Amino acid sequence: MSQQDHTLDPSLASWVASANDASTDFPIQNLPYGRIRRKGSGEPWRIGVAIGDQVLDLRLALDAMPWSDTLRPAARELASGDLNAFMARPMADRVAMRAALSHALRAGSGHQRALAGCMVLQSDIEHDVPCRIGDYTDFYTGIHHATTVGKLFRPDSPLMPNYKWVPIGYHGRASSIGVSGQQFRRPKGQTKAADAAEPSFGPSKRLDYELELAVFVGRPNELGEPVDMARAEDHVFGLALFNDWSARDIQAWEYQPLGPFLAKNFASTVSPWIVTMEALAPFRRPFERPAGDPQPLPYLDSPANRSTGAIDVTLEVLLHTQAMRDAGLPPHRLSQSSFLDAYWTVAQLIAHHTVNGCNLQAGDLLGTGTLSGPTAAGAGSLLELTQGGKVPITLPNGQTRTFLEDGDTIILRGWCERAGARRIGFGECAGTVLAPR
Amino acid sequence: MSQQDHTLDPSLASWVASANDASTDFPIQNLPYGRIRRKGSGEPWRIGVAIGDQVLDLRLALDAMPWSDTLRPAARELASGDLNAFMARPMADRVAMRAALSHALRAGSGHQRALAGCMVLQSDIEHDVPCRIGDYTDFYTGIHHATTVGKLFRPDSPLMPNYKWVPIGYHGRASSIGVSGQQFRRPKGQTKAADAAEPSFGPSKRLDYELELAVFVGRPNELGEPVDMARAEDHVFGLALFNDWSARDIQAWEYQPLGPFLAKNFASTVSPWIVTMEALAPFRRPFERPAGDPQPLPYLDSPANRSTGAIDVTLEVLLHTQAMRDAGLPPHRLSQSSFLDAYWTVAQLIAHHTVNGCNLQAGDLLGTGTLSGPTAAGAGSLLELTQGGKVPITLPNGQTRTFLEDGDTIILRGWCERAGARRIGFGECAGTVLAPR
């Protein structure tokens, strides 16, 4: 698509001046969707599109713009705040909407005057999760994360024998997913010290974050109808940032034999903007297995996946403690990594998830799992950064951390850059730990 | 409640004659809710209440009955097919609706003539899942199941050290839950033979059922607000039968370290009628830990849980193979067990699930886990009945089974009986395995 898709032309500029700033996450080449309303207005939620430091409010734009008969039904869904209905549409509809928005927002557009009244400053809006999330699945595609964590428990064989064959995944809790800005109380639960005879109950002492991307499902598949690799990305709407908060001490005691449960389901945080697969097209990269690793089974393989299955997204984690905020200090970067280091692609996650006939629905969220890089500087969790809580990290203001403390805010950021393309970003995914009840 | 609740009086009779038959699952003391419409009508779904061999259609009853101002909003929700809205109501509203339905349906009711036109034969209706299931959690409360299955893998320590402390649970897939009558294709996936160097791909060869009860959440709790034991059952709407189909060979290869995934999420089947907690009141029983077992931690304990936490539900599994159907033979009973053998109560599942602040929503489904009895005759899965597939069972027509074959139908049944109370039943939960694609 990228050759003929004028919405990706790096020379395109917008009549929204801030969108032309080289440092913005939201140039006209991005056009991500979120669910918004004016702060404190109590208005119905509607879908907005981020552009520069502003948002195009599609509820207002429904009447302000002369939509074609083809696009009007989709525009109505967006105006009503129902992103799921739009996500479920065939890719052609999504591409047409993107083209219409790109035309309307570009410099010299005849729609500028009509749309000027439909713009809201991002600082004046509040967000809900971008869509209704029916089911949430978390994968485990970060091989460096899996290896580092595995080493803590099994130094000789950190990776399970299935890791390089099966895109390991499990179901998570959809109800407790919140949008960036989420604040949650430190969870309580059962934990058991290695030398204790019995478990005890209390607030988690090993609270952690996990740096992930969220893959949002678009077009659904019917129960019993697997989606093959060739069509897998037709079912993907876009990506966002995702923090899979984890209570390591609760997890260690509860997770055998059926997996994590209360260690994860107290809160998960997603960023407000879904960056579409169309916007990510310039950042596709070849996907190759390291030498010596098994090739994917045929149901997880395709020529397109090998040539362009990977996506070059740079990711980083920042910590902002209460003391740092009180002293007026900026957040401190804990790590930087890349989605290129994932062991499985987005298409492989879809093909694997549905190969048994499982039905995915519009708005379902697939977490990638913790996206750590190959070195300690790319560790996507404190569990990795502190070697299981044994080696504290020291922050610029002299504070130390093994795990998160009350008042800590974790901020995830992500962006795509390459020569010949306009940089696009994901915005922020922030969440804050509150004291336990 | 049982002393003063006239809806439970065993001498109550209904003007629906079949409801007075001693063998019916649906006497006037039961009054379970389901989502129904006339078969093939394409009408909107509405909520119905099973009574004898008939159903009271609450869409029709909305105008036929003189609802009080207090009950009319709830009646409207039921008429519109939105069981979730009704489930979310305070217990007092549910109790009032039950009293109104009981009065309207009892022999001598002044409403008989008005309601006669609102009755549909059960054989003339079709079902959807009874409510919108937001999140589905599966627990593991069947200690005999956990022990028998554990022995297959770890003969010396079948139960994990956490089992008697933690109500083990994990998240499952909501989108693939279907209602009784569900037919699904045998799932395909990766499996690996113990002596194979690499996994292979194909249809599951070890397809199994799991006999469970579904606990449906009623009143929701807010994120961050745990529900304590004293209030836990205020958040439970009722119970149904549940079959957690499982592909054992896929599970064995995929489940480490994060739990079951594709082995379970291709299909799960729930019975159409939710039997309310009010109807189950006569069948409450003391809940005691076996001598020598640890007492539950305080957050999982309460006087009421000790005195009446258990529920006496008899459960059975029947198999109907294609050959049996072709020969006109009836289904064959594979096992019988009781919910009394569960290691954790419904209240404990709610208190545990929310203790970290996790929010439950109306319509959420909590599976109990496989409810096996202490002997082989009570085994709630083929994995247990056939000792991991090593000892085939022989059916009355000479067929044998280690695991399920294409065309096999599994039927779950459940009922409650005791002296001095009217027997109530759960109806059937049937599902059929189709050949793979």
Side-chain angles (χ1 to χ4, degrees):
Chain A
M1 151 191 311
S2 56
Q3 273 74 14
Q4 285 146 22
D5 185 352
H6 299 299
T7 67
L8 296 168
D9 183 339
S11 66
L12 264 191
S14 172
W15 50 263
V16 178
S18 58
N20 305 323
D21 186 328
S23 69
T24 184
D25 277 353
F26 308 116
I28 193 168
Q29 291 79 4
N30 194 345
L31 303 177
Y33 296 94
R35 191 151 53 164
I36 59 138
R37 64 183 176 194
R38 279 162 220 262
K39 238 179 233 172
S41 68
E43 291 171 345
W45 294 102
R46 69 283 311 270
I47 304 305
V49 172
I51 177 89
D53 62 1
Q54 305 200 34
V55 179
L56 172 62
D57 179 333
L58 288 167
R59 190 178 187 93
L60 303 179
L62 181 64
D63 294 326
M65 237 178 77
W67 299 96
S68 70
D69 289 351
T70 326
L71 277 180
R72 182 166 285 275
R76 242 185 239 119
E77 291 161 1
L78 297 173
S80 74
D82 186 0
L83 190 57
N84 295 70
F86 180 68
M87 295 166 100
R89 288 180 170 271
M91 192 190 283
D93 291 9
R94 289 156 33 191
V95 167
M97 177 61 72
R98 176 178 167 83
L101 293 169
S102 176
H103 272 95
L105 290 166
R106 70 183 54 170
S109 158
H111 299 302
Q112 176 172 356
R113 211 171 54 174
L115 288 187
C118 307
M119 308 305 292
V120 194
L121 270 174
Q122 284 184 33
S123 51
D124 288 343
I125 61 167
E126 58 187 9
H127 287 279
D128 196 357
V129 287
C131 59
R132 194 179 59 254
I133 300 165
D135 277 293
Y136 151 44
T137 298
D138 202 23
F139 282 94
Y140 199 50
T141 71
I143 189 168
H144 303 298
H145 170 76
T147 304
T148 306
V149 172
K151 265 183 196 154
L152 296 173
F153 298 100
R154 300 171 302 275
D156 297 333
S157 59
L159 282 184
M160 295 282 177
N162 57 14
Y163 189 87
K164 293 183 177 179
W165 297 97
V166 180
I168 296 294
Y170 66 108
H171 294 292
R173 181 85 196 172
S175 72
S176 52
I177 299 175
V179 75
S180 182
Q182 186 175 30
Q183 303 191 330
F184 61 90
R185 293 186 182 281
R186 177 180 298 272
K188 292 183 177 177
Q190 283 191 46
T191 58
K192 186 179 159 298
D195 55 354
E198 298 188 354
S200 57
F201 180 82
S204 169
K205 292 174 185 150
R206 292 164 66 92
L207 187 58
D208 202 354
Y209 61 86
E210 289 191 341
L211 167 66
E212 304 198 12
L213 283 169
V215 177
F216 279 99
V217 173
R219 202 155 175 71
N221 67 300
E222 293 291 321
L223 189 59
E225 303 290 337
V227 176
D228 63 29
M229 283 293 286
R231 296 176 305 130
E233 287 205 11
D234 296 354
H235 295 261
V236 179
F237 185 74
L239 306 184
L241 303 167
F242 189 64
N243 186 340
D244 180 28
W245 306 96
S246 299
R248 305 295 180 192
D249 43 359
I250 295 173
Q251 186 173 348
W253 174 232
E254 76 170 0
Y255 92 107
Q256 290 280 17
L258 297 175
F261 181 50
L262 298 189
K264 302 267 194 178
N265 66 13
F266 54 89
S268 318
T269 311
V270 69
S271 58
W273 301 110
I274 305 181
V275 176
T276 63
M277 295 303 277
E278 289 75 39
L280 293 165
F283 309 100
R284 307 303 299 249
R285 292 270 292 272
F287 176 73
E288 286 163 4
R289 280 267 173 272
D293 277 10
Q295 289 305 304
L297 291 181
Y299 82 94
L300 295 172
D301 196 14
S302 78
N305 195 57
R306 273 173 264 144
S307 59
T308 59
I311 310 176
D312 187 359
V313 186
T314 301
L315 297 160
E316 67 180 21
V317 182
L318 301 102
L319 170 62
H320 210 192
T321 69
Q322 185 64 53
M324 290 159 77
R325 286 198 296 275
D326 292 345
L329 297 170
H332 170 68
R333 190 173 81 191
L334 296 178
S335 69
Q336 189 175 94
S337 59
S338 169
F339 189 30
L340 289 177
D341 285 321
Y343 200 75
W344 302 97
T345 66
V346 169
Q348 287 172 324
L349 301 188
I350 298 286
H352 183 65
H353 204 318
T354 62
V355 73
N356 66 347
C358 182
N359 56 330
L360 302 180
Q361 300 183 308
D364 285 351
L365 191 164
L366 316 184
T368 55
T370 310
L371 293 170
S372 298
T375 69
S381 69
L382 283 171
L383 185 69
E384 296 159 84
L385 280 175
T386 68
Q387 299 175 38
K390 289 193 288 285
V391 184
I393 54 171
T394 302
L395 306 176
N397 67 347
Q399 288 185 286
T400 61
R401 286 291 182 274
T402 47
F403 291 99
L404 294 171
E405 299 193 3
D406 299 342
D408 284 356
T409 297
I410 289 290
I411 302 163
L412 311 182
R413 289 188 188 146
W415 62 89
C416 301
E417 290 180 321
R418 81 162 173 78
R422 185 66 200 270
R423 174 194 186 279
I424 64 168
F426 285 76
E428 271 190 8
C429 177
T432 301
V433 182
L434 304 179
R437 289 169 59 91
Chain B
M1 152 190 310
S2 58
Q3 273 74 14
Q4 283 146 22
D5 186 351
H6 298 300
T7 67
L8 295 168
D9 182 339
S11 67
L12 264 191
S14 172
W15 50 261
V16 178
S18 57
N20 305 322
D21 186 327
S23 69
T24 184
D25 276 353
F26 308 116
I28 193 168
Q29 291 79 4
N30 193 345
L31 303 176
Y33 296 94
R35 191 151 51 164
I36 59 139
R37 63 183 176 192
R38 278 161 220 263
K39 237 179 233 173
S41 68
E43 292 170 345
W45 293 102
R46 70 282 311 270
I47 304 305
V49 172
I51 176 88
D53 62 359
Q54 304 198 35
V55 179
L56 172 62
D57 178 334
L58 288 167
R59 189 177 188 93
L60 303 179
L62 180 64
D63 294 325
M65 239 178 75
W67 299 95
S68 70
D69 288 350
T70 326
L71 277 178
R72 181 167 288 274
R76 242 186 239 118
E77 291 161 1
L78 297 172
S80 75
D82 186 359
L83 191 58
N84 295 68
F86 181 67
M87 296 166 100
R89 288 180 168 271
M91 191 190 282
D93 291 9
R94 289 155 34 190
V95 167
M97 177 61 72
R98 176 177 167 85
L101 294 170
S102 176
H103 273 95
L105 290 166
R106 71 183 53 170
S109 157
H111 298 303
Q112 176 172 357
R113 211 171 54 174
L115 289 185
C118 307
M119 308 305 293
V120 193
L121 270 174
Q122 284 185 32
S123 52
D124 288 343
I125 61 167
E126 58 187 9
H127 287 279
D128 196 355
V129 288
C131 59
R132 192 179 61 253
I133 300 165
D135 276 295
Y136 151 44
T137 298
D138 202 22
F139 282 95
Y140 200 50
T141 73
I143 190 169
H144 303 299
H145 171 76
T147 305
T148 306
V149 172
K151 266 184 194 153
L152 297 173
F153 298 101
R154 300 170 302 274
D156 296 332
S157 60
L159 281 183
M160 294 283 177
N162 57 12
Y163 189 86
K164 294 183 177 179
W165 296 99
V166 181
I168 297 294
Y170 66 108
H171 294 292
R173 181 86 196 170
S175 72
S176 53
I177 298 175
V179 73
S180 182
Q182 186 175 29
Q183 302 192 331
F184 61 90
R185 294 188 181 280
R186 176 180 298 272
K188 292 183 178 177
Q190 283 192 45
T191 59
K192 185 178 159 301
D195 56 353
E198 298 188 354
S200 56
F201 180 82
S204 168
K205 293 174 183 150
R206 292 164 69 91
L207 186 60
D208 203 354
Y209 61 86
E210 289 191 341
L211 166 66
E212 303 197 14
L213 282 169
V215 178
F216 279 98
V217 173
R219 202 155 175 71
N221 66 300
E222 293 292 321
L223 190 60
E225 302 291 337
V227 177
D228 62 29
M229 283 293 287
R231 297 177 305 131
E233 286 204 11
D234 296 354
H235 294 262
V236 179
F237 185 75
L239 307 184
L241 303 166
F242 189 63
N243 186 339
D244 180 27
W245 306 96
S246 299
R248 305 295 180 191
D249 44 358
I250 294 174
Q251 186 173 347
W253 174 231
E254 77 171 0
Y255 92 107
Q256 289 282 17
L258 297 175
F261 181 51
L262 298 189
K264 302 266 194 179
N265 66 12
F266 53 90
S268 318
T269 311
V270 68
S271 59
W273 300 110
I274 305 182
V275 176
T276 64
M277 295 304 276
E278 289 76 37
L280 292 165
F283 310 101
R284 305 305 297 250
R285 292 270 293 272
F287 175 73
E288 286 162 2
R289 281 268 173 271
D293 277 9
Q295 289 304 305
L297 290 181
Y299 82 94
L300 295 172
D301 196 14
S302 78
N305 195 57
R306 274 174 263 142
S307 60
T308 58
I311 310 175
D312 187 0
V313 185
T314 301
L315 298 160
E316 66 179 23
V317 182
L318 302 101
L319 170 62
H320 211 193
T321 68
Q322 185 63 54
M324 289 160 78
R325 287 199 295 276
D326 291 347
L329 296 170
H332 170 67
R333 190 172 80 190
L334 295 178
S335 70
Q336 191 176 93
S337 60
S338 169
F339 189 31
L340 290 177
D341 285 319
Y343 199 75
W344 302 99
T345 66
V346 169
Q348 287 172 324
L349 302 188
I350 298 285
H352 183 66
H353 204 319
T354 62
V355 73
N356 66 347
C358 181
N359 56 331
L360 302 181
Q361 300 184 307
D364 284 352
L365 190 164
L366 317 184
T368 57
T370 309
L371 293 169
S372 297
T375 68
S381 69
L382 282 172
L383 185 70
E384 296 160 83
L385 280 175
T386 67
Q387 299 175 39
K390 289 193 288 286
V391 184
I393 56 170
T394 302
L395 306 175
N397 67 346
Q399 287 185 287
T400 61
R401 285 292 180 276
T402 48
F403 290 99
L404 294 171
E405 298 194 3
D406 297 343
D408 284 356
T409 296
I410 289 290
I411 302 163
L412 312 183
R413 290 186 187 147
W415 63 88
C416 301
E417 290 179 322
R418 81 162 174 81
R422 186 64 200 271
R423 174 194 186 279
I424 65 168
F426 285 75
E428 270 190 9
C429 177
T432 301
V433 181
L434 304 178
R437 290 168 59 90

